[in-house]
Amino acid sequence: MTDLLFRGGRAFTPEGFAEAVLVRDGRIAAVGRESDLVRLAPHAEPYDLDGGLLTPGFTDAHIHPIQAGLERAQCELSEVFGLDAYTTLIADYATQNPHKSWIDGGGWDMSAFPGGLPHRTQLDFLDRPAYLIQRDHHAAWVNTRALERAGITKDTPDPADGRIERDPDGAPSGVLHEGAMDLVGLLTPRPTPADQAAALLDAQRHLFSLGITGWQDAIVGSYAGSDDQLPTYLAAAADGTLKARVVGALWWDRAQGAEQIAALAARRASAEGLDRFRATAVKIMQDGIAENFTAAVIEPYCRCGGTGLSYVDPQRLGGYVKELDTLGFQVHFHAIGERAVREALDALTGTNPANRHHIAHLQIVTPPDVPRFAALNVTANLQPLWATHHAQMDELCIPYLGFPRSDWQYPFADLVAHGTRLAAGSDWPVSSADPIQAMHVAVNRTEPPGSHNSGYPTAATPFLPGQSLTLRTILTAYTSGSAWLNDSPAGILEPGRPADLAVLDRDPFTLDPTDIWTTRVTATFVDGEQVH
């Protein structure tokens, strides 16, 4: 492999910036002044950064690539907004796919509907059952045919971990929340192994185009109508088509308890010896989301009462976590509400820091719980794109949460001030996978121009601006922070590390912070091989 000398811009390093980086045999050989590296490797092929910035490849610490790839091949609603736009696209998709027995896909936004709730009758123009997953993946919109196919009536009870939305007379209205999604989702046509493999490779291509060279798949297992992704990852890692560095977070079945741990250990063992994939984490979803009142909160919601759902019994959660910790598993928590965050922190008390446990999302954290992250060596896994004024925030979250709780949302700066280790991710396809857009939000706490939320009236108003991060802090979270979380050798530009790199078309540190979003990835390398 030819030596490569990246020059003509700056390189992002833990100490600051360097002039140049030398890559040899797929690894970083040297970082420093260009003149020194030219003397070290006079025949290296120059790669002109053209004034841009060289960074380590990004690692997304919470993402769902196979699900995203499958949705990209189905009825994809995330690029449009509003009932008219949704039904037009759905009708076109149905016309173009007359062979499909179901209309499936997703990406609709709760804020497009009064109270966040579409209705089954709005899909009853279709001649087939429909199952469309909400953008956040915590609800599904179905039509009457789908409800009939599943046998769901006004007499059908809610599952323990979900809710069937109902009309005033008790009839199902067409929205299934959380665990209720499976009542219909598991009836939809199953993707074939070839479909799953194609979805993974499509997602990998997309992520490479954004400079992402590694990730943690936040649900590897069967959830919300999706099939287990583990066989897909094992096959792709074995045949070499998976080039990114991936950790799979094995799904904790919340209908079971400790009896599933032996099976999780066996699933982890099935990936041993693979170069690109390890199944060393377990994902525990402790609550839902605030918009449908399933996020676990301490004080009741303002408009509906109730305090949400703790999906795993808090009295037993600590025991499960201790057993996983003893077996060397990393625990990856989903926690949105302040009670779920507290339950996760309580469960992680006394665990082994070497296992690199983390809590994702962290929408609401009480001030007394903020310092506990650093004290317990728990990483805060941030999804920065959500920390803005957008329709779901202003029309569904803030009115339901009330004050002061609304001011406890996404307390990134407070976490940093207490010495918390940060990682970062996107939750794609829930939101854009683009790390640059997420960094823009982390720094500005406003919507990036051109985002699907950017037209909202208050999108340019900073959301709790005191919780903004510096660009260096969030870029570090997306590189060395998330790579550390995955126990990956990449993530830092220093000699001996794999040459997993992203080339940016400009240096965002030289821009006005409000222009960070204009930065684009022009090239991506994995082990010194250009993959984008």
Side-chain angles (χ1 to χ4, degrees), residues 354-397:
N355 290 328
R356 309 183 188 201
H357 305 305
H358 51 119
I359 305 176
H361 307 328
L362 307 174
Q363 180 169 348
I364 314 164
V365 187
T366 67
D369 282 328
V370 169
R372 296 181 68 197
F373 283 81
L376 297 174
N377 291 294
V378 174
T379 298
N381 187 337
L382 311 181
Q383 282 64 63
L385 274 170
W386 305 348
T388 69
H389 281 291
H390 51 269
Q392 279 192 209
M393 174 61 72
D394 288 3
E395 298 173 17
L396 298 178
C397 283

Side-chain angles (χ1 to χ4, degrees), residues 18 45 63 80 94 117 140 149 153 161 299 328 346 429 433 499:
E45 178 181 336
I63 191 170
V80 299
L117 299 172
R149 185 73 61 89
T153 70
D161 61 347
E299 297 296 329
D346 290 347

Side-chain angles (χ1 to χ4, degrees), residues 4 50 61-62 128 152 187 215 360 407 443 466 468 487 505 512:
L4 274 178
D50 194 24
H62 185 105
R128 284 159 275 177
I152 300 174
L187 303 178
W215 62 78
D407 288 342
V443 172
S468 297
D487 196 15
D505 68 345
D512 185 293

